[in-house]
Amino acid sequence: MVQLIDVFKVYENGTKALKGVNFKLEAGEFAFLVGPSGSGKSTIIKLITGEVAPTDGTVLVNGFNVGTMKMSKMPYLRRSLGVIFQDFRLIKKKNVYENVAFAMYAIGASSREVRKRVPYVLQLVGLEDKAKMCPDELSGGEQQRVAIARALVNNPSLIIADEPTGNLDPARSLEIIMLLNKINELGTTVLVVTHEKALVDAFSRRVIAIDKGKIISDGLDRYKI
Ligand code: ADP
């Protein structure tokens, strides 16, 4: 669950990135967060992941109060989320299986747990046959599916995708959003940041629109920008 209550963010140079943002994403929901460049989308993501603190207001994520929590609790917040980026961020020298397994070892999982879980998530994203291939041998869409498998492998309750289709052609973009829909149907909360109107229009989903640091609309099929 994510809730922003009257959130303001002023960066150190005085830029007012968010000016009183309110929205709530319930557990199990799917939403697009849309808006033009500079509207505050990345700032919202960074607040949710704990990379930046709100100047004023409250940010609640999976039971953590991000603005007031102790730094020592941050790993627990991070573990409860999976983040997917536009540029995939895979380790080039590791194969698909190793890229996904690495995220499990990083939080102290045993080899036994890894052997059980990684094949499952690779199957979920449709890459069970490519486990031994390296990122350079894969298409952009496949690389993004590896990144999705990695984001899912530790079973987070929330997935945040930051422009996940920015480097993909329209057909592959559609596949990625369909995959995120499937993951949502399996119970994970999903927030997708994008500025691709055609993509949002292809799905009948909640759309939270932001402009100049303020939410300007929030509801089904309401892409106004
Ligand atoms: P978006 O992701 O929608 O493009 P951002 O959240 O990145 O928007 O930016 C919102 C506003 O905050 C913009 O005016 C941007 O220039 C500013 N901004 C973002 N990050 C910083 C920063 N670290 N320091 C100062 N200003 C920033």
Side-chain angles (χ1 to χ4, degrees):
M1 185 274 286
V2 177
Q3 189 170 15
L4 272 67
I5 306 164
D6 292 332
V7 171
F8 289 76
K9 177 65 191 174
V10 184
Y11 284 106
E12 275 168 23
N13 65 0
T15 304
K16 292 177 179 161
L18 299 179
K19 303 168 192 164
V21 168
N22 288 282
F23 73 86
K24 185 174 185 181
L25 194 62
E26 302 280 3
E29 260 196 281
F30 181 110
F32 289 110
L33 175 62
V34 304
S37 180
S39 57
K41 303 184 299 295
S42 304
T43 301
I44 288 177
I45 290 201
K46 287 178 186 159
L47 285 165
I48 294 172
T49 60
E51 275 173 76
V52 302
T55 308
D56 203 356
T58 308
V59 179
L60 302 172
V61 181
N62 296 337
F64 297 93
N65 185 328
V66 178
T68 60
M69 66 193 276
K70 289 195 183 122
M71 280 308 279
S72 60
K73 290 265 161 60
M74 205 52 92
Y76 300 101
L77 166 68
R78 298 265 163 83
R79 233 171 259 185
S80 76
L81 355 139
V83 188
I84 299 156
F85 304 95
Q86 177 172 350
D87 57 0
F88 321 135
R89 303 199 188 174
L90 301 173
I91 304 169
K92 281 188 188 268
K93 287 187 179 161
K94 292 189 189 292
N95 68 29
V96 166
Y97 185 97
E98 291 162 346
N99 262 283
V100 178
F102 188 69
M104 284 189 80
Y105 286 126
I107 65 155
S110 68
S111 318
R112 193 156 165 260
E113 290 168 310
V114 170
R115 280 199 304 273
K116 202 167 162 218
R117 178 80 178 156
V118 175
Y120 168 75
V121 287
L122 288 182
Q123 193 194 359
L124 190 66
V125 302
L127 286 179
E128 63 272 34
D129 298 336
K130 311 243 164 164
K132 297 241 165 68
M133 295 175 86
C134 281
D136 284 347
E137 299 171 289
L138 301 175
S139 70
E142 287 167 339
Q143 289 185 54
Q144 192 57 299
R145 284 193 274 146
V146 180
I148 292 173
R150 181 186 54 189
L152 276 177
V153 78
N154 293 323
N155 207 12
S157 45
L158 169 68
I159 292 272
I160 299 167
D162 190 0
E163 299 278 0
T165 60
N167 284 330
L168 304 177
D169 63 51
R172 298 293 90 73
S173 298
L174 209 57
E175 282 174 15
I176 291 296
I177 302 299
M178 282 163 66
L179 176 58
L180 291 169
N181 265 280
K182 175 173 143 188
I183 287 161
N184 172 248
E185 278 161 19
L186 293 172
T188 311
T189 314
V190 176
L191 181 63
V192 181
V193 173
T194 184
H195 60 255
E196 292 178 58
K197 185 178 182 328
L199 202 58
V200 173
D201 286 345
F203 296 86
S204 191
R205 287 296 205 169
R206 178 176 173 190
V207 182
I208 304 167
I210 183 167
D211 193 20
K212 300 188 184 75
K214 287 185 178 168
I215 304 285
I216 54 164
S217 69
D218 183 353
L220 273 185
D221 299 328
R222 288 216 211 149
Y223 196 121
K224 281 191 176 166
I225 295 167

